């Protein structure tokens, strides 16, 4: 029993060590690649719902719910990639010059995502459509402020 506890404790410590070193990137360009990959996946899982919100494609509550569940995990990912010293990519320097503003934009987006999850879980199309639109606005307002124009 004691041995089992010791094994569990060291496994927990290993997990902690892995988690704290996971946030690190060896090079700035690794962080850029990471955040861009995460954003690209977010773009895919968000964008595929647009035809449903626009009523071009029938609403399938189960599909939307499953897709929003994936999106809400993806939504946690990009932020570690905006690491100190990883300026560049399509990010404006303001991400690093105005960390509070950027964090606020991130929090606004995550709050919109929480509402989108509630709406998707409810199975109500109109609730989904409104929450989808508001989430899209939170993407756009961060992009307007912190992403370079192409
Ligand atoms: C808090 C700020 C913020 C929010 C919120 C945000 N983004 Fe981004 N996004 C960025 C920044 C900054 C970049 C540029 C990253 C880089 O290249 O350094 C970016 C890049 C992207 C890209 C290009 C990725 C690539 O292939 O290089 C896509 C697609 C994207 N975002 C989609 C979305 C969608 C969809 C949402 C909302 C569901 C969203 N983003 C929410 C800040 C944000």
């Amino acid at each position: 029993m004691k041995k089992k506890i010791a094994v569990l404790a060291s496994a927990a410590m290993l997990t902690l060590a892995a988690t704290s070193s996971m946030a690190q990137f060896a090079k700035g360009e690794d962080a850029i690649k990471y955040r861009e990959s995460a954003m690209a996946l977010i773009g895919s899982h968000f964008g595929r719902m647009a035809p449903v919100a626009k009523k071009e494609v029938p609403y399938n509550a189960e599909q939307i719910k499953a897709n929003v569940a994936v999106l809400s995990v993806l939504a946690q990912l990009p932020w570690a990639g905006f690491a100190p010293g990883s300026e560049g990519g399509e990010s404006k320097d303001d991400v690093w010059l105005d960390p509070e503003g950027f964090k606020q934009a991130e929090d606004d987006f995550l709050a919109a995502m929480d509402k989108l999850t509630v709406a998707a879980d409810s199975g109500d199309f109109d609730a989904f459509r409104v929450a989808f639109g508001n989430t899209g606005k939170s993407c756009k307002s961060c992009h307007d402020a912190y992403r370079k124009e192409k």
Side-chain angles (χ1 to χ4, degrees):
M1 188 63 190
K2 249 193 190 146
K3 196 170 172 201
K4 200 170 174 194
I5 290 172
V7 168
L8 281 177
S10 62
M13 260 145 63
L14 273 179
T15 310
L16 265 182
T19 316
S20 55
S21 64
M22 258 181 343
Q24 319 278 319
F25 297 94
K27 292 180 271 148
E29 66 195 71
D30 293 346
I32 295 173
K33 212 186 288 169
Y34 180 88
R35 67 185 182 239
E36 290 183 344
S37 307
M39 280 289 173
L41 286 173
I42 289 173
S44 170
H45 281 271
F46 187 75
R48 70 184 63 178
M49 296 190 287
V52 179
K54 287 189 246 166
K55 300 186 183 176
E56 293 163 6
V57 166
Y59 174 61
N60 178 320
E62 282 312 309
Q63 271 181 10
I64 290 292
K65 186 177 163 178
N67 188 57
V68 168
V70 172
L71 184 63
S72 71
V73 175
L74 296 174
Q76 308 295 325
L77 296 182
W79 322 115
F82 293 94
S86 67
E87 288 85 344
E90 286 175 14
S91 297
K92 289 186 187 165
D93 286 345
D94 299 284
V95 171
W96 292 270
L97 297 173
D98 174 27
E100 282 112 40
F102 188 71
K103 179 77 173 71
Q104 186 62 54
E106 175 192 331
D107 289 346
D108 291 349
F109 165 62
L110 293 173
M113 275 301 307
D114 284 345
K115 289 187 180 157
L116 180 57
T117 298
V118 171
D121 288 352
S122 79
D124 181 78
F125 174 76
D126 284 324
F128 158 72
R129 191 179 48 78
V130 170
F132 178 84
N134 288 334
T135 305
K137 280 182 202 151
S138 75
C139 312
K140 185 176 184 306
S141 75
C142 186
H143 289 170
D144 287 349
Y146 297 102
R147 185 184 176 189
K148 286 180 193 159
E149 321 261 335
K150 289 230 185 122

